[in-house]
Amino acid sequence: MASSTTAIMASARRSGGRLVAGTGTPQRGPSGRPGYARPVRLAILAVAAVLFAWDIQHSTYHAFYAETVRSMTGSWKGFLFGSFDPGNSITIDKLPGFLWPQALSARIFGFHPWALTLPQGIEGVLSVAVMHRAVRRWAGENAALLAAGAFALTPAIAGLFRTEVEDPAFTLFVLLAADATLRAAREARLRPLLAAGMWVGLSFQTKMLEAWAVLPALGLLYVLSAPVALRRRLAHLAGAGAVCVAVSASWVLLVTLTPAQDRPYVDGTTNNSAVSQVVGYNFVTRFSGLGISARDTGSVSVLTMAGTAPAKASGRPQARATAAQWGKMFGPSLVSQVGWLYPAAALAAVCGLAWRRGRPRTDPLRAGFVLWGMWLAVYFLVFSAGAVGGHTYYMGVVAVPLAALFGGGMVQFWRAWRRGGRARAWALPTAVGSTVVWSAGTAELFPSFLPWLAPAAITLGAGALALLGLSCTGDGGKRRRMAVLGLGVGLVAMLLPSAAWASSVLQTEYGHSGMGSTGPVAARHHTVPHRPSPALASAPRAAAKAPGGISLSRNQRQILAYTRAHQDGATYLFATTSWRVASPYILHSGVKVLPMGGFTGAVPSPTGSEFRHLIATGRLRFVVLGGPVTAPGRSLAPWVRAHCAPVPHQTPALYRCAPSPATSHAARGR
């Protein structure tokens, strides 16, 4: 980032500060791109690649998602539907699109933690490249370099693209949608606008209805600035919207049209409906803190998620809870991951819109400020109202407009400063001063982590303001040199705290948080290689390890060996009452273990009659009891203890359920 700043400022000094109108790019040949643009862009991409891929060989498995990827590599049916277990009894509790790249990578390279992390790193480098292209299309090369650098050095981004979650692919797709819409709006072209609809539809496959939150920003950009009659603009948007809906609904429609007996049960629902999973379980329940109930949407009524329970207190405690909810984007755990540039981005959005008043409707620079400002506002509201908890990787989609506004805004502030003589010139020192003070205050929220960071940022910020002040005196050459140097030091001061936190991923203790976080927040979320459930822990003996490093305890190996030896043609090796108990067996060996209750433990899969039918028909012979309490465990465990024989010398309790005349008759009567 420092090399980018130096090169940009050096070129501006050589050109005497003359900038191409509307783009902020120094005059360098017919293309308008300065000679330093390509090497600096490559340097930013290289830094991003290092941050995203560092220590990838020590990646860890994400509990729940990694098991799903293992199952998806076992069959194309599991791949298509996103089956949690190799037996294809139940899906993951989300749409599986974000896991498809991981499953393909595991098929190619084998099932290893690094093979699951690799696609996220690639998606991250591509996201930085698309960020550069989108901002360059909007505000010129210098703005693009600053935006790409700020984006790559955002802590949430550095952690996000090292994590096996939904948001890496989601962030890439919405960036591609923004780039395509900016291209379409320039010349009112339908084809890139249809492509934008496709990209939003693909982002829906990774993050469901959260992807549609970007539509107001994209639609407003096109309807306000495309150089064509309003009727045609609306027709173009209708076509793009149709593409978006078609691509978004494709997987849901596939599941809906597939007979229930030919596909896995849809997790997170009580009615086995993909629509209920998307609308109820993964959307409405996220806003239960506002008193919104998902009871009638077909989703499970209990969702284990921080911050989803509506506040029951009254008076002052309830007011504090409401303030905490709507202020969570400024809380330590989130602001330290994404909020370092809040002041600069906010000032850029306000000035970008105010300064472009009176311009033609089609003014592309103003349209871009509308796009990024609306994007930031919508997602701020969505995450403030909804449940976020410790999921700092959600912040990737917020980092996008913050970085774009920073890049575009700083170029505009620099132009205003070089012109001088007006109130607008104060925007640059205001942006530098406010952002540095804000960043120092954010760093001080964690005083034991990098204690030198806040003083260093303040010192650099003060030096930048002093240099900018000196640029107001002396001859023309001296003023230009002082201004360029002041801007360069100011950029370093603003980006230093964010970059320092982002670089913490290069340290082992912060490198793989599992939540996409960095710094001391990552330390709280730090994950270790997947270990067996405590309910299955045994005496400290040598553990069997699969190539990926998943270990089974002695007792688990005994259960695995015994059930394999006595499977007798059964479809499932054994059943468990919780996915957490089934998890180590699936990760270690990819065996067909039947989990019950889905992610929350409250999903009616399988039902009591379905469970007894599996036993009666010989498709299931063994059941492991123990582990977390789930609804199927409470309802089926008494029946298992009453009708199945315990297998001696097995811990946890293993039961053999042989078909009996009574169960066979009951099964035939279903």
Side-chain angles (χ1 to χ4, degrees), residues 93-94 268 281-282 285-286 288 300-309 387-391 393-394 515 579-580 597-603 628-631:
D93 65 339
K94 296 172 176 61
Y281 178 81
N282 281 299
T285 57
R286 265 53 178 180
S288 61
V300 293
S301 58
V302 178
L303 181 61
T304 305
M305 180 184 302
T308 57
V388 175
H391 299 77
Y393 56 82
Y394 286 16
M515 288 295 180
W579 72 266
R580 296 184 184 276
F599 178 73
T600 62
V603 174
V629 178
T630 62

PDB file of all heavy atoms in Angstrom, residues 93-94 268 281-282 285-286 288 300-309 387-391 393-394 515 579-580 597-603 628-631:
ATOM      1  N   ASP A  93     -28.055 -26.579   6.521  1.00  0.00           N
ATOM      2  CA  ASP A  93     -29.151 -25.666   6.833  1.00  0.00           C
ATOM      3  C   ASP A  93     -29.119 -24.393   6.004  1.00  0.00           C
ATOM      4  O   ASP A  93     -29.792 -23.417   6.341  1.00  0.00           O
ATOM      5  CB  ASP A  93     -29.157 -25.318   8.329  1.00  0.00           C
ATOM      6  CG  ASP A  93     -27.927 -24.529   8.763  1.00  0.00           C
ATOM      7  OD1 ASP A  93     -26.902 -24.580   8.041  1.00  0.00           O
ATOM      8  OD2 ASP A  93     -27.989 -23.866   9.812  1.00  0.00           O
ATOM      9  N   LYS A  94     -28.373 -24.389   4.913  1.00  0.00           N
ATOM     10  CA  LYS A  94     -28.304 -23.255   3.990  1.00  0.00           C
ATOM     11  C   LYS A  94     -28.257 -23.781   2.574  1.00  0.00           C
ATOM     12  O   LYS A  94     -28.065 -24.980   2.347  1.00  0.00           O
ATOM     13  CB  LYS A  94     -27.061 -22.401   4.270  1.00  0.00           C
ATOM     14  CG  LYS A  94     -27.058 -21.739   5.644  1.00  0.00           C
ATOM     15  CD  LYS A  94     -25.741 -21.073   5.933  1.00  0.00           C
ATOM     16  CE  LYS A  94     -25.796 -20.345   7.279  1.00  0.00           C
ATOM     17  NZ  LYS A  94     -26.055 -21.276   8.407  1.00  0.00           N
ATOM     18  N   GLY A 268     -33.453 -27.199   8.932  1.00  0.00           N
ATOM     19  CA  GLY A 268     -33.947 -25.913   9.395  1.00  0.00           C
ATOM     20  C   GLY A 268     -35.440 -25.745   9.256  1.00  0.00           C
ATOM     21  O   GLY A 268     -35.969 -24.681   9.585  1.00  0.00           O
ATOM     22  N   TYR A 281     -36.243 -19.815   8.109  1.00  0.00           N
ATOM     23  CA  TYR A 281     -35.100 -20.175   8.952  1.00  0.00           C
ATOM     24  C   TYR A 281     -33.913 -19.237   8.763  1.00  0.00           C
ATOM     25  O   TYR A 281     -33.251 -18.857   9.726  1.00  0.00           O
ATOM     26  CB  TYR A 281     -34.705 -21.614   8.638  1.00  0.00           C
ATOM     27  CG  TYR A 281     -33.497 -22.116   9.392  1.00  0.00           C
ATOM     28  CD1 TYR A 281     -33.609 -22.560  10.705  1.00  0.00           C
ATOM     29  CD2 TYR A 281     -32.249 -22.158   8.794  1.00  0.00           C
ATOM     30  CE1 TYR A 281     -32.504 -23.032  11.395  1.00  0.00           C
ATOM     31  CE2 TYR A 281     -31.139 -22.628   9.474  1.00  0.00           C
ATOM     32  CZ  TYR A 281     -31.270 -23.054  10.773  1.00  0.00           C
ATOM     33  OH  TYR A 281     -30.175 -23.509  11.451  1.00  0.00           O
ATOM     34  N   ASN A 282     -33.625 -18.878   7.520  1.00  0.00           N
ATOM     35  CA  ASN A 282     -32.424 -18.084   7.251  1.00  0.00           C
ATOM     36  C   ASN A 282     -32.696 -16.599   7.028  1.00  0.00           C
ATOM     37  O   ASN A 282     -31.770 -15.860   6.682  1.00  0.00           O
ATOM     38  CB  ASN A 282     -31.693 -18.643   6.023  1.00  0.00           C
ATOM     39  CG  ASN A 282     -30.873 -19.866   6.363  1.00  0.00           C
ATOM     40  OD1 ASN A 282     -29.951 -19.811   7.173  1.00  0.00           O
ATOM     41  ND2 ASN A 282     -31.231 -20.993   5.767  1.00  0.00           N
ATOM     42  N   THR A 285     -36.008 -15.521  11.052  1.00  0.00           N
ATOM     43  CA  THR A 285     -35.477 -15.768  12.399  1.00  0.00           C
ATOM     44  C   THR A 285     -34.321 -14.851  12.740  1.00  0.00           C
ATOM     45  O   THR A 285     -34.037 -14.632  13.921  1.00  0.00           O
ATOM     46  CB  THR A 285     -35.006 -17.221  12.535  1.00  0.00           C
ATOM     47  OG1 THR A 285     -34.019 -17.501  11.533  1.00  0.00           O
ATOM     48  CG2 THR A 285     -36.153 -18.194  12.402  1.00  0.00           C
ATOM     49  N   ARG A 286     -33.640 -14.305  11.736  1.00  0.00           N
ATOM     50  CA  ARG A 286     -32.526 -13.389  11.997  1.00  0.00           C
ATOM     51  C   ARG A 286     -33.006 -12.069  12.591  1.00  0.00           C
ATOM     52  O   ARG A 286     -32.200 -11.295  13.112  1.00  0.00           O
ATOM     53  CB  ARG A 286     -31.764 -13.099  10.713  1.00  0.00           C
ATOM     54  CG  ARG A 286     -30.549 -13.958  10.437  1.00  0.00           C
ATOM     55  CD  ARG A 286     -30.804 -15.426  10.484  1.00  0.00           C
ATOM     56  NE  ARG A 286     -29.591 -16.192  10.172  1.00  0.00           N
ATOM     57  CZ  ARG A 286     -29.538 -17.499  10.138  1.00  0.00           C
ATOM     58  NH1 ARG A 286     -30.622 -18.210  10.395  1.00  0.00           N
ATOM     59  NH2 ARG A 286     -28.408 -18.125   9.853  1.00  0.00           N
ATOM     60  N   SER A 288     -35.641 -11.891  14.881  1.00  0.00           N
ATOM     61  CA  SER A 288     -36.493 -12.150  16.035  1.00  0.00           C
ATOM     62  C   SER A 288     -36.210 -11.177  17.168  1.00  0.00           C
ATOM     63  O   SER A 288     -37.035 -10.979  18.051  1.00  0.00           O
ATOM     64  CB  SER A 288     -36.302 -13.591  16.516  1.00  0.00           C
ATOM     65  OG  SER A 288     -34.959 -13.801  16.918  1.00  0.00           O
ATOM     66  N   VAL A 300     -37.892 -24.236  11.903  1.00  0.00           N
ATOM     67  CA  VAL A 300     -37.877 -24.673  13.291  1.00  0.00           C
ATOM     68  C   VAL A 300     -38.053 -23.458  14.190  1.00  0.00           C
ATOM     69  O   VAL A 300     -37.595 -22.360  13.885  1.00  0.00           O
ATOM     70  CB  VAL A 300     -36.568 -25.405  13.627  1.00  0.00           C
ATOM     71  CG1 VAL A 300     -36.484 -26.715  12.885  1.00  0.00           C
ATOM     72  CG2 VAL A 300     -35.357 -24.552  13.331  1.00  0.00           C
ATOM     73  N   SER A 301     -38.726 -23.652  15.312  1.00  0.00           N
ATOM     74  CA  SER A 301     -39.059 -22.529  16.183  1.00  0.00           C
ATOM     75  C   SER A 301     -37.918 -22.139  17.106  1.00  0.00           C
ATOM     76  O   SER A 301     -37.936 -21.069  17.685  1.00  0.00           O
ATOM     77  CB  SER A 301     -40.296 -22.858  17.027  1.00  0.00           C
ATOM     78  OG  SER A 301     -40.066 -24.034  17.791  1.00  0.00           O
ATOM     79  N   VAL A 302     -36.922 -23.013  17.261  1.00  0.00           N
ATOM     80  CA  VAL A 302     -35.799 -22.720  18.145  1.00  0.00           C
ATOM     81  C   VAL A 302     -34.546 -22.665  17.302  1.00  0.00           C
ATOM     82  O   VAL A 302     -34.211 -23.619  16.616  1.00  0.00           O
ATOM     83  CB  VAL A 302     -35.649 -23.792  19.241  1.00  0.00           C
ATOM     84  CG1 VAL A 302     -34.445 -23.480  20.120  1.00  0.00           C
ATOM     85  CG2 VAL A 302     -36.908 -23.862  20.084  1.00  0.00           C
ATOM     86  N   LEU A 303     -33.844 -21.538  17.354  1.00  0.00           N
ATOM     87  CA  LEU A 303     -32.617 -21.373  16.593  1.00  0.00           C
ATOM     88  C   LEU A 303     -31.526 -20.908  17.534  1.00  0.00           C
ATOM     89  O   LEU A 303     -31.644 -19.861  18.157  1.00  0.00           O
ATOM     90  CB  LEU A 303     -32.808 -20.352  15.470  1.00  0.00           C
ATOM     91  CG  LEU A 303     -31.609 -20.098  14.568  1.00  0.00           C
ATOM     92  CD1 LEU A 303     -31.193 -21.372  13.857  1.00  0.00           C
ATOM     93  CD2 LEU A 303     -31.924 -19.018  13.559  1.00  0.00           C
ATOM     94  N   THR A 304     -30.494 -21.698  17.667  1.00  0.00           N
ATOM     95  CA  THR A 304     -29.382 -21.336  18.542  1.00  0.00           C
ATOM     96  C   THR A 304     -28.525 -20.308  17.845  1.00  0.00           C
ATOM     97  O   THR A 304     -27.691 -20.637  17.023  1.00  0.00           O
ATOM     98  CB  THR A 304     -28.543 -22.569  18.887  1.00  0.00           C
ATOM     99  OG1 THR A 304     -29.401 -23.561  19.446  1.00  0.00           O
ATOM    100  CG2 THR A 304     -27.449 -22.217  19.878  1.00  0.00           C
ATOM    101  N   MET A 305     -28.734 -19.050  18.164  1.00  0.00           N
ATOM    102  CA  MET A 305     -28.000 -17.969  17.521  1.00  0.00           C
ATOM    103  C   MET A 305     -27.942 -16.790  18.470  1.00  0.00           C
ATOM    104  O   MET A 305     -28.957 -16.383  19.019  1.00  0.00           O
ATOM    105  CB  MET A 305     -28.681 -17.546  16.221  1.00  0.00           C
ATOM    106  CG  MET A 305     -27.984 -16.422  15.499  1.00  0.00           C
ATOM    107  SD  MET A 305     -28.905 -15.927  14.048  1.00  0.00           S
ATOM    108  CE  MET A 305     -28.965 -17.458  13.158  1.00  0.00           C
ATOM    109  N   ALA A 306     -26.751 -16.235  18.664  1.00  0.00           N
ATOM    110  CA  ALA A 306     -26.599 -15.099  19.561  1.00  0.00           C
ATOM    111  C   ALA A 306     -27.387 -13.919  19.058  1.00  0.00           C
ATOM    112  O   ALA A 306     -27.310 -13.550  17.906  1.00  0.00           O
ATOM    113  CB  ALA A 306     -25.122 -14.722  19.685  1.00  0.00           C
ATOM    114  N   GLY A 307     -28.165 -13.354  19.949  1.00  0.00           N
ATOM    115  CA  GLY A 307     -28.845 -12.116  19.610  1.00  0.00           C
ATOM    116  C   GLY A 307     -30.187 -12.291  18.947  1.00  0.00           C
ATOM    117  O   GLY A 307     -30.790 -11.327  18.521  1.00  0.00           O
ATOM    118  N   THR A 308     -30.742 -13.543  18.835  1.00  0.00           N
ATOM    119  CA  THR A 308     -32.008 -13.701  18.150  1.00  0.00           C
ATOM    120  C   THR A 308     -33.196 -13.640  19.092  1.00  0.00           C
ATOM    121  O   THR A 308     -34.308 -13.420  18.658  1.00  0.00           O
ATOM    122  CB  THR A 308     -32.057 -15.039  17.399  1.00  0.00           C
ATOM    123  OG1 THR A 308     -31.831 -16.095  18.325  1.00  0.00           O
ATOM    124  CG2 THR A 308     -31.012 -15.088  16.314  1.00  0.00           C
ATOM    125  N   ALA A 309     -32.988 -13.852  20.365  1.00  0.00           N
ATOM    126  CA  ALA A 309     -34.106 -13.840  21.290  1.00  0.00           C
ATOM    127  C   ALA A 309     -34.584 -12.420  21.522  1.00  0.00           C
ATOM    128  O   ALA A 309     -33.810 -11.529  21.820  1.00  0.00           O
ATOM    129  CB  ALA A 309     -33.697 -14.472  22.616  1.00  0.00           C
ATOM    130  N   ALA A 387     -29.521 -10.470  13.388  1.00  0.00           N
ATOM    131  CA  ALA A 387     -28.571 -11.126  14.282  1.00  0.00           C
ATOM    132  C   ALA A 387     -27.239 -11.305  13.572  1.00  0.00           C
ATOM    133  O   ALA A 387     -27.181 -11.830  12.467  1.00  0.00           O
ATOM    134  CB  ALA A 387     -29.118 -12.482  14.725  1.00  0.00           C
ATOM    135  N   VAL A 388     -26.182 -10.862  14.211  1.00  0.00           N
ATOM    136  CA  VAL A 388     -24.830 -11.029  13.686  1.00  0.00           C
ATOM    137  C   VAL A 388     -23.996 -11.869  14.647  1.00  0.00           C
ATOM    138  O   VAL A 388     -23.294 -12.791  14.250  1.00  0.00           O
ATOM    139  CB  VAL A 388     -24.149  -9.663  13.443  1.00  0.00           C
ATOM    140  CG1 VAL A 388     -22.706  -9.857  13.015  1.00  0.00           C
ATOM    141  CG2 VAL A 388     -24.913  -8.863  12.393  1.00  0.00           C
ATOM    142  N   GLY A 389     -24.101 -11.575  15.941  1.00  0.00           N
ATOM    143  CA  GLY A 389     -23.351 -12.321  16.934  1.00  0.00           C
ATOM    144  C   GLY A 389     -21.858 -12.195  16.693  1.00  0.00           C
ATOM    145  O   GLY A 389     -21.330 -11.117  16.413  1.00  0.00           O
ATOM    146  N   GLY A 390     -21.156 -13.308  16.756  1.00  0.00           N
ATOM    147  CA  GLY A 390     -19.714 -13.306  16.551  1.00  0.00           C
ATOM    148  C   GLY A 390     -19.301 -13.562  15.126  1.00  0.00           C
ATOM    149  O   GLY A 390     -18.124 -13.787  14.858  1.00  0.00           O
ATOM    150  N   HIS A 391     -20.258 -13.524  14.191  1.00  0.00           N
ATOM    151  CA  HIS A 391     -19.959 -13.842  12.796  1.00  0.00           C
ATOM    152  C   HIS A 391     -19.364 -12.623  12.096  1.00  0.00           C
ATOM    153  O   HIS A 391     -20.014 -11.944  11.294  1.00  0.00           O
ATOM    154  CB  HIS A 391     -21.220 -14.302  12.078  1.00  0.00           C
ATOM    155  CG  HIS A 391     -21.826 -15.535  12.665  1.00  0.00           C
ATOM    156  ND1 HIS A 391     -22.566 -15.502  13.822  1.00  0.00           N
ATOM    157  CD2 HIS A 391     -21.784 -16.836  12.276  1.00  0.00           C
ATOM    158  CE1 HIS A 391     -22.962 -16.731  14.110  1.00  0.00           C
ATOM    159  NE2 HIS A 391     -22.504 -17.562  13.198  1.00  0.00           N
ATOM    160  N   TYR A 393     -17.329 -12.515   9.766  1.00  0.00           N
ATOM    161  CA  TYR A 393     -17.179 -12.652   8.324  1.00  0.00           C
ATOM    162  C   TYR A 393     -18.367 -12.061   7.560  1.00  0.00           C
ATOM    163  O   TYR A 393     -18.284 -11.865   6.347  1.00  0.00           O
ATOM    164  CB  TYR A 393     -16.954 -14.121   7.923  1.00  0.00           C
ATOM    165  CG  TYR A 393     -18.010 -15.095   8.384  1.00  0.00           C
ATOM    166  CD1 TYR A 393     -19.200 -15.254   7.684  1.00  0.00           C
ATOM    167  CD2 TYR A 393     -17.802 -15.901   9.499  1.00  0.00           C
ATOM    168  CE1 TYR A 393     -20.155 -16.157   8.090  1.00  0.00           C
ATOM    169  CE2 TYR A 393     -18.739 -16.816   9.913  1.00  0.00           C
ATOM    170  CZ  TYR A 393     -19.922 -16.949   9.202  1.00  0.00           C
ATOM    171  OH  TYR A 393     -20.866 -17.855   9.608  1.00  0.00           O
ATOM    172  N   TYR A 394     -19.464 -11.767   8.243  1.00  0.00           N
ATOM    173  CA  TYR A 394     -20.566 -11.066   7.595  1.00  0.00           C
ATOM    174  C   TYR A 394     -20.127  -9.702   7.066  1.00  0.00           C
ATOM    175  O   TYR A 394     -20.753  -9.141   6.166  1.00  0.00           O
ATOM    176  CB  TYR A 394     -21.713 -10.833   8.584  1.00  0.00           C
ATOM    177  CG  TYR A 394     -22.552 -12.036   8.937  1.00  0.00           C
ATOM    178  CD1 TYR A 394     -22.130 -13.330   8.673  1.00  0.00           C
ATOM    179  CD2 TYR A 394     -23.783 -11.877   9.560  1.00  0.00           C
ATOM    180  CE1 TYR A 394     -22.907 -14.425   9.014  1.00  0.00           C
ATOM    181  CE2 TYR A 394     -24.572 -12.967   9.901  1.00  0.00           C
ATOM    182  CZ  TYR A 394     -24.131 -14.241   9.623  1.00  0.00           C
ATOM    183  OH  TYR A 394     -24.903 -15.320   9.960  1.00  0.00           O
ATOM    184  N   MET A 515     -14.161 -17.551  12.313  1.00  0.00           N
ATOM    185  CA  MET A 515     -15.203 -16.553  12.184  1.00  0.00           C
ATOM    186  C   MET A 515     -14.791 -15.408  11.264  1.00  0.00           C
ATOM    187  O   MET A 515     -15.458 -14.387  11.207  1.00  0.00           O
ATOM    188  CB  MET A 515     -15.584 -15.984  13.564  1.00  0.00           C
ATOM    189  CG  MET A 515     -16.359 -16.968  14.420  1.00  0.00           C
ATOM    190  SD  MET A 515     -17.963 -17.374  13.712  1.00  0.00           S
ATOM    191  CE  MET A 515     -18.590 -18.528  14.933  1.00  0.00           C
ATOM    192  N   TRP A 579     -25.895 -34.276  15.244  1.00  0.00           N
ATOM    193  CA  TRP A 579     -24.874 -34.182  14.195  1.00  0.00           C
ATOM    194  C   TRP A 579     -23.481 -34.076  14.804  1.00  0.00           C
ATOM    195  O   TRP A 579     -22.497 -34.497  14.188  1.00  0.00           O
ATOM    196  CB  TRP A 579     -25.154 -32.995  13.277  1.00  0.00           C
ATOM    197  CG  TRP A 579     -24.908 -31.634  13.884  1.00  0.00           C
ATOM    198  CD1 TRP A 579     -25.819 -30.836  14.493  1.00  0.00           C
ATOM    199  CD2 TRP A 579     -23.669 -30.915  13.912  1.00  0.00           C
ATOM    200  NE1 TRP A 579     -25.233 -29.667  14.927  1.00  0.00           N
ATOM    201  CE2 TRP A 579     -23.909 -29.685  14.571  1.00  0.00           C
ATOM    202  CE3 TRP A 579     -22.381 -31.181  13.460  1.00  0.00           C
ATOM    203  CZ2 TRP A 579     -22.903 -28.738  14.785  1.00  0.00           C
ATOM    204  CZ3 TRP A 579     -21.380 -30.242  13.671  1.00  0.00           C
ATOM    205  CH2 TRP A 579     -21.642 -29.034  14.324  1.00  0.00           C
ATOM    206  N   ARG A 580     -23.376 -33.527  16.008  1.00  0.00           N
ATOM    207  CA  ARG A 580     -22.065 -33.382  16.632  1.00  0.00           C
ATOM    208  C   ARG A 580     -21.450 -34.745  16.958  1.00  0.00           C
ATOM    209  O   ARG A 580     -20.221 -34.904  16.922  1.00  0.00           O
ATOM    210  CB  ARG A 580     -22.174 -32.532  17.897  1.00  0.00           C
ATOM    211  CG  ARG A 580     -22.604 -31.095  17.627  1.00  0.00           C
ATOM    212  CD  ARG A 580     -22.610 -30.267  18.893  1.00  0.00           C
ATOM    213  NE  ARG A 580     -23.103 -28.921  18.647  1.00  0.00           N
ATOM    214  CZ  ARG A 580     -22.358 -27.920  18.188  1.00  0.00           C
ATOM    215  NH1 ARG A 580     -21.069 -28.128  17.938  1.00  0.00           N
ATOM    216  NH2 ARG A 580     -22.878 -26.723  17.983  1.00  0.00           N
ATOM    217  N   GLY A 597     -32.088 -34.618  13.827  1.00  0.00           N
ATOM    218  CA  GLY A 597     -32.412 -33.311  14.375  1.00  0.00           C
ATOM    219  C   GLY A 597     -31.829 -32.120  13.666  1.00  0.00           C
ATOM    220  O   GLY A 597     -32.128 -30.982  14.025  1.00  0.00           O
ATOM    221  N   GLY A 598     -30.981 -32.343  12.653  1.00  0.00           N
ATOM    222  CA  GLY A 598     -30.401 -31.215  11.934  1.00  0.00           C
ATOM    223  C   GLY A 598     -29.467 -30.390  12.794  1.00  0.00           C
ATOM    224  O   GLY A 598     -29.053 -30.802  13.888  1.00  0.00           O
ATOM    225  N   PHE A 599     -29.135 -29.189  12.308  1.00  0.00           N
ATOM    226  CA  PHE A 599     -28.164 -28.348  12.995  1.00  0.00           C
ATOM    227  C   PHE A 599     -28.651 -27.921  14.371  1.00  0.00           C
ATOM    228  O   PHE A 599     -27.889 -27.871  15.328  1.00  0.00           O
ATOM    229  CB  PHE A 599     -27.859 -27.116  12.141  1.00  0.00           C
ATOM    230  CG  PHE A 599     -26.892 -26.164  12.781  1.00  0.00           C
ATOM    231  CD1 PHE A 599     -25.545 -26.477  12.872  1.00  0.00           C
ATOM    232  CD2 PHE A 599     -27.317 -24.955  13.303  1.00  0.00           C
ATOM    233  CE1 PHE A 599     -24.643 -25.615  13.475  1.00  0.00           C
ATOM    234  CE2 PHE A 599     -26.427 -24.073  13.904  1.00  0.00           C
ATOM    235  CZ  PHE A 599     -25.089 -24.412  13.990  1.00  0.00           C
ATOM    236  N   THR A 600     -29.930 -27.590  14.477  1.00  0.00           N
ATOM    237  CA  THR A 600     -30.459 -27.107  15.756  1.00  0.00           C
ATOM    238  C   THR A 600     -30.835 -28.231  16.703  1.00  0.00           C
ATOM    239  O   THR A 600     -31.062 -27.986  17.886  1.00  0.00           O
ATOM    240  CB  THR A 600     -31.715 -26.250  15.517  1.00  0.00           C
ATOM    241  OG1 THR A 600     -32.732 -27.067  14.906  1.00  0.00           O
ATOM    242  CG2 THR A 600     -31.415 -25.069  14.620  1.00  0.00           C
ATOM    243  N   GLY A 601     -30.949 -29.454  16.185  1.00  0.00           N
ATOM    244  CA  GLY A 601     -31.415 -30.557  17.011  1.00  0.00           C
ATOM    245  C   GLY A 601     -32.915 -30.599  17.159  1.00  0.00           C
ATOM    246  O   GLY A 601     -33.450 -31.429  17.896  1.00  0.00           O
ATOM    247  N   ALA A 602     -33.639 -29.706  16.461  1.00  0.00           N
ATOM    248  CA  ALA A 602     -35.088 -29.617  16.597  1.00  0.00           C
ATOM    249  C   ALA A 602     -35.832 -29.995  15.322  1.00  0.00           C
ATOM    250  O   ALA A 602     -37.056 -29.902  15.271  1.00  0.00           O
ATOM    251  CB  ALA A 602     -35.480 -28.193  17.010  1.00  0.00           C
ATOM    252  N   VAL A 603     -35.104 -30.412  14.297  1.00  0.00           N
ATOM    253  CA  VAL A 603     -35.739 -30.743  13.019  1.00  0.00           C
ATOM    254  C   VAL A 603     -36.299 -32.168  13.077  1.00  0.00           C
ATOM    255  O   VAL A 603     -35.607 -33.083  13.532  1.00  0.00           O
ATOM    256  CB  VAL A 603     -34.714 -30.614  11.872  1.00  0.00           C
ATOM    257  CG1 VAL A 603     -35.297 -31.087  10.560  1.00  0.00           C
ATOM    258  CG2 VAL A 603     -34.244 -29.173  11.761  1.00  0.00           C
ATOM    259  N   PRO A 628     -25.088 -34.173  22.865  1.00  0.00           N
ATOM    260  CA  PRO A 628     -26.010 -33.081  23.172  1.00  0.00           C
ATOM    261  C   PRO A 628     -27.462 -33.541  23.146  1.00  0.00           C
ATOM    262  O   PRO A 628     -27.835 -34.430  22.377  1.00  0.00           O
ATOM    263  CB  PRO A 628     -25.733 -32.070  22.050  1.00  0.00           C
ATOM    264  CG  PRO A 628     -24.374 -32.403  21.544  1.00  0.00           C
ATOM    265  CD  PRO A 628     -24.224 -33.877  21.708  1.00  0.00           C
ATOM    266  N   VAL A 629     -28.269 -32.925  23.982  1.00  0.00           N
ATOM    267  CA  VAL A 629     -29.689 -33.257  24.043  1.00  0.00           C
ATOM    268  C   VAL A 629     -30.383 -32.655  22.828  1.00  0.00           C
ATOM    269  O   VAL A 629     -30.255 -31.464  22.530  1.00  0.00           O
ATOM    270  CB  VAL A 629     -30.319 -32.718  25.339  1.00  0.00           C
ATOM    271  CG1 VAL A 629     -31.810 -33.019  25.364  1.00  0.00           C
ATOM    272  CG2 VAL A 629     -29.638 -33.333  26.552  1.00  0.00           C
ATOM    273  N   THR A 630     -31.117 -33.479  22.108  1.00  0.00           N
ATOM    274  CA  THR A 630     -31.858 -33.026  20.930  1.00  0.00           C
ATOM    275  C   THR A 630     -33.287 -33.542  21.014  1.00  0.00           C
ATOM    276  O   THR A 630     -33.592 -34.460  21.797  1.00  0.00           O
ATOM    277  CB  THR A 630     -31.210 -33.535  19.637  1.00  0.00           C
ATOM    278  OG1 THR A 630     -31.233 -34.979  19.642  1.00  0.00           O
ATOM    279  CG2 THR A 630     -29.771 -33.054  19.508  1.00  0.00           C
ATOM    280  N   ALA A 631     -34.150 -32.992  20.176  1.00  0.00           N
ATOM    281  CA  ALA A 631     -35.542 -33.444  20.158  1.00  0.00           C
ATOM    282  C   ALA A 631     -35.650 -34.917  19.770  1.00  0.00           C
ATOM    283  O   ALA A 631     -36.374 -35.687  20.427  1.00  0.00           O
ATOM    284  CB  ALA A 631     -36.357 -32.564  19.215  1.00  0.00           C
TER     285      ALA A 631
END
